[in-house]
């Protein structure tokens, strides 16, 4: 790969470039000469004086506005309809249709209400997120400085009005417009430079390159093997001016810019995220149970009791009793509460509610180095003498060069490397010299020279030279062996991730005529200055938090591997020698080999966008739930390949549009907060599923047994519905529960296999408790058989069911503190309310209409004994289950 040259007066380290996007600008393809300024202007039917207003208006009408196609925001009704496709909602809808078919109108009405509430909650949450994301787009630059002429014309356009610079909305730019760029400006379209002065641009949004890239209007030939974005004459939408200024002609706008082309090539999001896979797995478990239950009930009653279709409403009620009716509501409520809390407290916007669960399930986080682990600026590392030892004199001479180059070379602002050197040096010592001339850094000779006069040394000038190591060594008075030794010293430090500059001086007789690059020779080598990327201030703490939470961080960067490894080691991320892969080694691996290697690799260097996406897909194939944090067009494929894409608010527009989660800033601390919120929400959802499905399964098994033992239905359909509504309404408290901190230590995964194992084990235990209650009722009633006995049986089982469900809510919560630790939470209060309903409803005036009646006092004494034994069995089973395989807080009780 060719090296990225530095801008005149700017980059001085000859830092290596990186692979970039390969789409070609209009009129250019790799291997062909870049069109000259005149050829570009002729091809665009424009000139140095710009277009007329009439020409611009005509082109705008023909080509459309200069806006990159964005994701269309769905309306609230569209989001509501989309929510109906949720598998849980579809299951409930089918049950509602079956209930209506057997004329169980009350059951059908309740199920329909739950479906509507769930879809409305989800649509409202995602609609709010869409509005918040749309508001972020208003924060980007909206105008550009354009040179246009009035509409006066003499027939061929040559006499058109006087050109004038004006601020024009970016959306109104057209090909052929002449624009002016200055420090801090966002490049508003793809352009070809006409004139430039010390221009460098940040292209991180397009390429991931952390350092500013040199740009010049000179008709330099393309570098061999260089990509489009490495061509110095071209600037692209998505980049911004770091320093200098330029005049340029717009070559492409709207959907024709490189920015949009990269967006189009990025591909579609994978069909199923971690949440989608979990939901589908659990849905099929429920569907199988519910499809099996009604035929079993009908067949058993027909064979043993001679009952026919009159038991169909009861069979449907049993199937409904097995289903977690409140699940869509509770899932949406948990995710919406977590998303709104993130937005209020940390400025994190969750654009797709299920993405919050995916963030909580993430066990691998892929990210770029620049702006996340490191800041976009260097800091001084060491100043080394020729012997490789620390030498403060080398820093002094480097600072003299930086100071007087800045003062005399008429640069708009200091180079980032110069700033780092000046920050570390004693500026008071620099004013002891008198600067007389300076040669700014240029790509041709790759070094900067300051000429100074030292007080007390009349008639002598000192040339202080700083720049690329090889360029400086070539001009030093050294033999080949010394030059090779010093070059090797520089290579060793560069291999450790440092940027290396060489410093040299030379004494010359004072003269009045100017200095040229030819005078920079016969130098005395002074030493090396090494610089490293400044670490992000919060990165180290955030990485420790993520590591404690079971999230493995992998760095996917376009930078040199040594630079990435150095940043990781400085932040405490262990990187073994075999845990680094470069793009060429990735290309040599098959998909299967890459999936195996990706798990043990920490740093992937020299990555193109395609490499990042392929690595992300490989990690997912290896069974990981992958989050990707990116902010540039080059990150689009990986953002879409990940289970959850994360982007900061100031990311490239298309990257932010494609992300599932938008951060207030590119900060790992915000990611850690999102992971915590996702795990809280995921744990509450998993707890609800465990509690309700195990309890419901136990009740269904008990109903099937009772149906075979009793001459009457063990519970009326209306009683089943009321019981389920009370239980599910109480469990809405799980959405407000605060899990134990232990829940944060592992990814929150809704694993269907572990869930099935849990609910069958604890469901059977619940069924045993119900059967024990049957024995208590038989003992209390001295044998069933009369109408009164039927009402008492219904009432006794109704009360026992609600009491056992209240116990399950409290005792099967995952990772919570033991009872009595602190004040009762919402789940405890809800369980208490559920128990109160179970005790109060049968003897109340509402009991008889539901077929319930008051119970004898001795029943409560015997029921207390049953509940005490059931609670002890639950605690014992929970402890034994927690010691089983895969005891993760997200899956098993603790």
């Amino acid at each position: 790969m060719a090296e990225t040259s530095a801008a005149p007066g700017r980059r001085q380290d000859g830092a290596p470039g990186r692979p970039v996007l390969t789409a070609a600008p209009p009129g250019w393809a790799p291997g062909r000469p870049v069109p000259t300024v005149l050829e570009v202007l002729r091809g665009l039917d424009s000139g140095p004086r710009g277009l007329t207003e009439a020409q611009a208006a005509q082109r705008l009408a023909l080509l459309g506005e200069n806006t990159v196609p964005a994701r269309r925001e769905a309306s609230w009704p569209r989001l509501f309809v989309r929510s109906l496709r949720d598998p849980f909602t579809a299951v409930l809808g089918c049950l509602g249709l079956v209930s209506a078919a057997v004329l169980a109108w009350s059951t059908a009405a309740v199920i329909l209400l739950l479906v509507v509430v769930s879809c409305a909650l989800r649509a409202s949450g995602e609609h709010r997120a869409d509005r918040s994301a749309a508001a972020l787009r208003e924060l980007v630059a909206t105008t550009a400085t354009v040179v246009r002429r009035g509409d006066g014309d003499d027939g061929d356009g040559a006499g058109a009005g006087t050109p004038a610079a004006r601020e024009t909305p970016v959306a109104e730019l057209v090909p052929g417009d002449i624009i002016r760029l200055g420090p801090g400006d966002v490049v508003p379209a793809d352009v070809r430079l006409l004139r430039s002065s010390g221009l460098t641009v940040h292209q991180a949004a397009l390429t991931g390159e952390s350092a500013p890239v040199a740009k010049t209007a000179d008709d330099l030939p393309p570098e061999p093997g260089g990509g489009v974005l490495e061509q110095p004459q071209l600037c692209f939408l998505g980049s911004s001016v770091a320093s200098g200024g330029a005049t340029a002609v717009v070559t492409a706008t709207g959907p024709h810019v490189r920015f949009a082309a990269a967006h189009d090539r990025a591909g579609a999001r994978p069909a199923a995220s971690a949440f989608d896979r979990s939901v589908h797995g659990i849905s099929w478990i429920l569907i199988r149970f519910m499809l099996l239950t009604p035929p079993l009930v009908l067949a058993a009653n027909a064979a043993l009791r001679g009952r026919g279709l009159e038991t169909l409403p009861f069979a449907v009620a049993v199937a409904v009793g097995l289903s977690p009716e409140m699940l869509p509501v509770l899932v949406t409520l948990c995710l919406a509460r977590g998303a709104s809390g993130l937005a209020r407290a940390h400025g994190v916007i969750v654009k797709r509610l299920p993405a919050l669960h995916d963030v909580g399930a993430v066990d691998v986080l892929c990210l770029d180095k620049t702006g996340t682990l490191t800041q976009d600026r260097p800091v001084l590392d060491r100043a080394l003498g020729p012997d490789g030892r620390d030498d403060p004199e080398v820093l002094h001479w480097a600072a003299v060069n930086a100071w007087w180059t800045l003062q005399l070379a008429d640069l708009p602002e200091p180079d980032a490397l110069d700033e780092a050197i000046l920050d570390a040096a004693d500026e008071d010592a620099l004013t002891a010299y008198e600067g007389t001339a300076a040669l700014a850094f240029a790509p041709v000779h790759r070094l900067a020279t300051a000429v100074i006069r030292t007080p007390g040394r009349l008639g002598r000038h000192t040339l202080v030279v700083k720049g690329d190591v090889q360029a400086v060594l070539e001009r030093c008075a050294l033999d080949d062996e010394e030059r090779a030794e010093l070059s090797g010293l520089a290579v060793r430090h560069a291999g450790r991730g440092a940027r290396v500059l060489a410093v040299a001086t030379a004494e010359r007789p004072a003269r009045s005529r100017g200095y040229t690059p030819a005078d920079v020779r016969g130098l005395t080598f002074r030493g090396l200055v090494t610089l490293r990327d400044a670490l992000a201030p919060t990165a180290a703490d955030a990485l420790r938090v993520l590591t404690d939470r079971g999230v493995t961080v992998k760095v996917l960067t376009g930078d040199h591997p040594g630079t990435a490894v150095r940043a990781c080691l400085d932040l405490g991320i262990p990187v073994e020698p075999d845990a680094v892969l470069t793009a060429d080694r990735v290309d040599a691996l098959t998909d299967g080999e890459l999936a195996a290697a990706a798990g043990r690799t920490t740093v992937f260097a020299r990555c193109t966008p395609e490499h990042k996406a392929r690595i992300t897909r490989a990690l997912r194939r290896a069974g990981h739930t992958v989050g990707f944090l990116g902010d540039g067009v080059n990150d689009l494929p990986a953002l879409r390949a990940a289970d959850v894409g994360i982007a900061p608010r100031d990311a490239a527009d298309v990257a932010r549009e494609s992300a599932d989660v938008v951060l207030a800033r590119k900060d790992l601390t915000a990611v850690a907060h999102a992971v915590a919120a996702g795990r809280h929400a995921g744990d509450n959802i998993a707890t609800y599923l465990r509690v309700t499905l195990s309890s419901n399964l136990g009740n269904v098994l008990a109903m099937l047994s009772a149906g075979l033992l009793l001459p009457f239905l063990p519970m009326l359909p209306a009683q089943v519905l009321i019981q389920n509504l009370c239980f599910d309404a109480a469990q809405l408290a799980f959405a407000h529960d605060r899990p134990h901190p232990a829940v944060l230590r592992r990814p929150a995964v809704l694993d269907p296999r572990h869930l099935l194992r849990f609910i069958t084990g604890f469901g059977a235990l619940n069924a045993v408790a119900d059967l024990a209650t049957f024995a208590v009722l038989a003992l209390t009633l001295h044998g069933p058989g009369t109408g009164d006995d039927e009402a008492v049986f219904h009432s006794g089982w109704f009360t026992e069911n609600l009491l056992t469900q209240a116990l399950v809510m409290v005792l099967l919560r995952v990772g919570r503190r033991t009872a009595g630790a602190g004040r009762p939470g919402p789940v405890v209060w809800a369980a208490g309310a559920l128990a109160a309903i179970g005790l109060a409803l049968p003897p109340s005036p509402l009991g008889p209409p539901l077929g319930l009646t008051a119970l004898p006092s001795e029943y409560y004494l015997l029921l207390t004994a049953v509940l005490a034994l059931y609670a002890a069995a639950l605690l014992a089973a929970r402890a034994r289950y927690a010691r089983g395989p895969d005891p993760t807080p997200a899956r098993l009780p603790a």
Side-chain angles (χ1 to χ4, degrees):
M1 177 56 64
E3 290 196 344
T4 303
S5 59
R10 314 305 304 146
R11 289 292 304 278
Q12 303 169 3
D13 60 339
R18 63 176 300 278
V20 294
L21 302 177
T22 57
W28 185 84
R32 295 174 50 191
V34 175
T36 65
V37 169
L38 184 59
E39 290 171 340
V40 171
L41 290 176
R42 284 178 176 172
L44 294 168
D45 192 19
S46 183
R49 302 169 70 223
L51 302 175
T52 66
E53 294 290 352
Q55 287 175 317
Q58 184 180 16
R59 296 185 186 192
L60 183 64
L62 178 65
L63 300 174
E65 291 189 340
N66 177 36
T67 55
V68 177
R71 180 178 63 87
R72 181 180 177 186
E73 291 179 19
S75 62
W76 193 93
R78 184 183 295 271
L79 290 172
F80 183 89
V81 173
R82 186 187 301 169
S83 300
L84 292 172
R85 297 185 305 208
D86 177 83
F88 287 134
T89 306
V91 169
L92 283 184
C94 292
L95 286 175
L97 292 176
V98 172
S99 300
V102 298
L103 303 181
W105 299 112
S106 58
T107 303
V110 170
I111 291 176
L112 178 61
L113 177 62
L114 295 177
V115 168
V116 171
V117 170
S118 170
C119 292
L121 283 173
R122 175 168 294 185
S124 298
E126 295 189 0
H127 189 57
R128 283 195 303 271
D130 279 348
R131 289 204 309 267
S132 299
L136 295 178
R137 290 193 290 271
E138 304 299 324
L139 301 176
V140 300
T142 57
T143 62
T145 304
V146 182
V147 177
R148 285 184 183 164
R149 298 172 287 162
D151 291 333
D153 200 296
D154 63 0
D156 60 1
T162 303
R166 69 197 71 182
E167 290 295 315
T168 299
V170 167
E172 297 179 10
L173 289 181
V174 295
D177 264 330
I178 304 299
I179 65 171
R180 293 176 181 172
L181 300 172
D185 285 348
V186 175
V187 178
D190 288 359
V191 301
R192 205 287 187 190
L193 299 178
L194 305 179
R195 294 182 298 278
S196 65
S197 174
L199 181 67
T200 61
V201 299
H202 288 292
Q203 293 190 155
L206 294 168
T207 67
E209 174 63 61
S210 59
V213 178
K215 296 292 181 180
T216 177
D218 298 335
D219 291 325
L220 299 177
E223 296 186 23
V228 177
L229 301 182
E230 291 176 319
Q231 301 311 312
Q233 305 90 347
L234 307 173
C235 294
F236 299 87
L237 177 69
S239 56
S240 61
V241 178
S243 64
T247 301
V249 59
V250 175
T251 58
T253 60
H256 306 291
V257 299
R258 298 298 140 241
F259 200 93
H263 190 197
D264 293 340
R265 289 196 305 275
R269 176 175 297 282
S273 66
F275 182 78
D276 296 328
R277 295 192 298 271
S278 300
V279 164
H280 281 84
I282 295 170
S283 295
W284 277 110
I285 291 176
L286 297 178
I287 289 171
R288 292 187 185 101
F289 270 116
M290 286 185 287
L291 290 179
L292 183 64
T293 300
L296 282 178
V297 174
L298 291 175
N301 278 277
L304 300 179
R305 294 295 178 181
R307 301 173 187 143
L309 291 178
E310 66 271 13
T311 60
L312 183 59
F314 173 72
V316 173
V318 171
V320 173
L322 179 62
S323 67
E325 295 95 337
M326 285 289 181
L327 182 58
V329 177
L330 187 128
V331 167
T332 304
L333 187 57
C334 286
L335 297 177
R337 290 190 74 253
S340 62
L342 275 176
R344 287 194 311 271
H346 307 291
V348 177
I349 297 173
V350 180
K351 296 168 57 180
R352 184 176 59 87
L353 283 182
L356 182 62
H357 169 271
D358 292 339
V359 173
V362 162
D363 62 339
V364 172
L365 177 64
C366 299
L367 46 81
D368 198 353
K369 171 183 68 67
T370 305
T372 308
L373 302 180
T374 62
Q375 301 179 61
D376 196 10
R377 66 179 182 85
V379 293
L380 182 75
D381 184 30
R382 300 178 68 186
L384 306 172
D387 58 357
R389 298 179 181 177
D390 292 331
D391 186 350
E393 191 69 14
V394 178
L395 174 60
H396 171 76
W397 286 118
V400 169
N401 173 280
W403 177 268
W404 288 109
T405 301
L406 176 63
Q407 301 298 321
L408 301 176
D410 193 26
L411 299 177
E413 61 182 34
D415 174 58
L417 302 181
D418 285 344
E419 283 186 322
I421 291 171
L422 291 174
D423 286 343
D426 181 7
E427 292 191 10
D428 293 338
L430 307 180
T431 58
Y433 303 99
E434 180 185 349
T436 62
L439 299 175
F441 187 88
V444 177
H445 50 78
R446 295 180 296 164
L447 46 81
T449 304
V451 182
I452 62 171
R453 182 184 294 114
T454 304
R457 301 186 64 185
L458 299 177
R460 303 293 291 177
H461 284 168
T462 302
L463 275 63
V464 185
V465 181
K466 170 172 59 67
D468 176 72
V469 174
Q470 297 303 322
V472 172
L473 289 177
E474 288 171 1
R475 292 164 173 81
C476 289
L478 299 168
D479 59 35
D480 291 343
E481 184 178 350
E482 291 174 324
R483 189 173 287 110
E485 184 178 346
L486 293 171
S487 179
L489 177 64
V491 168
R492 287 195 297 274
H493 282 278
R496 298 169 188 163
R499 301 180 188 180
V500 184
L501 300 177
V503 182
T505 62
E507 296 290 329
R508 296 286 188 270
R511 71 187 192 192
S512 58
R513 72 177 187 275
Y515 286 85
T516 67
D519 297 314
V520 184
R521 54 186 171 77
L523 306 176
T524 300
F525 184 79
R526 291 287 185 175
L528 302 174
V529 173
T530 65
L531 302 103
R532 57 179 173 81
D533 290 335
L535 301 179
T538 61
D541 292 338
L543 284 171
R544 280 193 293 271
V545 171
L546 290 172
T547 301
D548 290 343
R549 293 176 181 175
V551 178
T552 301
V553 173
K554 298 187 180 294
V555 180
L556 281 58
T557 180
D559 280 346
H560 188 279
T563 304
V565 170
R566 172 64 181 271
C568 291
L569 294 177
D570 288 345
L571 288 167
I573 303 176
V575 182
E576 300 298 330
D578 61 347
V580 179
L581 281 180
T582 52
D584 55 343
R585 293 176 59 192
V586 170
D587 290 334
L589 299 175
T590 64
D591 288 344
E593 292 171 338
L594 180 58
R600 60 178 181 267
T601 302
T602 303
V603 173
F604 298 86
R606 297 294 194 190
C607 290
T608 65
E610 290 72 23
H611 287 121
K612 293 182 179 182
R614 187 177 173 220
I615 292 165
T616 301
R617 288 192 293 268
L619 288 166
R620 293 188 69 190
R621 280 196 299 273
H624 296 287
T625 301
V626 183
F628 189 92
L629 173 59
D631 62 353
V633 178
N634 62 315
D635 294 322
L636 276 176
L639 283 169
R640 291 174 170 173
D643 287 286
V644 55
I646 308 169
R649 186 178 68 179
D650 56 356
D653 284 355
V654 289
R656 193 172 60 239
E657 291 293 335
S658 299
D660 302 303
V661 177
V662 179
L663 310 178
R665 58 190 179 280
K666 195 173 183 181
D667 186 352
L668 283 179
T669 303
V671 177
H673 290 311
V675 168
R679 292 188 179 178
H680 283 161
D683 178 73
N684 286 340
I685 294 170
T687 301
Y688 168 81
L689 281 171
R690 279 190 297 269
V691 170
T692 191
L693 289 179
S694 60
S695 180
N696 289 355
L697 178 62
N699 288 339
V700 167
L701 294 175
M703 283 185 183
L704 293 175
S705 301
L708 301 178
L709 297 173
L710 299 174
F712 51 82
L713 292 177
M715 191 173 290
L716 299 177
Q719 295 167 353
V720 174
L721 182 62
I722 293 298
Q723 172 187 282
N724 290 339
L725 284 179
C726 291
F727 186 32
D728 286 329
Q731 289 187 100
L732 286 177
F734 282 122
H736 303 269
D737 198 16
R738 187 71 176 174
H740 192 275
V743 170
L744 299 179
R745 296 175 188 164
R746 297 284 182 90
V749 179
L750 294 174
D751 191 314
R753 291 176 301 171
H754 289 280
L755 179 65
L756 180 60
R757 188 159 61 94
F758 184 96
I759 63 176
T760 52
F762 284 87
L765 185 60
N766 182 271
V768 170
D770 286 341
L771 293 175
T773 303
F774 296 166
V776 169
L777 288 169
L779 182 62
T780 303
L781 300 175
H782 304 291
T786 66
D788 291 336
D789 288 346
E790 181 176 341
V792 171
F793 183 92
H794 291 161
S795 302
W797 195 20
F798 181 88
T799 298
E800 183 268 347
N801 266 334
L802 293 188
L803 291 177
T804 55
Q805 287 168 341
L807 274 177
V808 167
M809 285 181 62
V810 175
L811 297 181
L812 291 191
R813 294 162 65 218
V814 174
R816 273 53 169 202
R817 296 179 176 86
T818 57
R823 293 178 299 177
V827 172
V828 174
W829 286 112
L834 184 65
I837 292 173
L839 293 170
L841 185 59
S844 74
L846 296 177
L850 296 174
L852 302 175
T853 187
L855 293 164
S857 58
E858 58 267 25
Y859 169 75
Y860 293 105
L861 294 176
L862 294 173
L863 180 60
T864 301
V866 171
L867 293 177
L869 292 174
Y870 179 54
L874 277 179
L875 292 173
R878 192 182 78 165
R880 182 166 180 254
Y881 204 82
R883 292 192 297 269
D886 194 32
T888 61
R891 292 171 179 156
L892 307 180

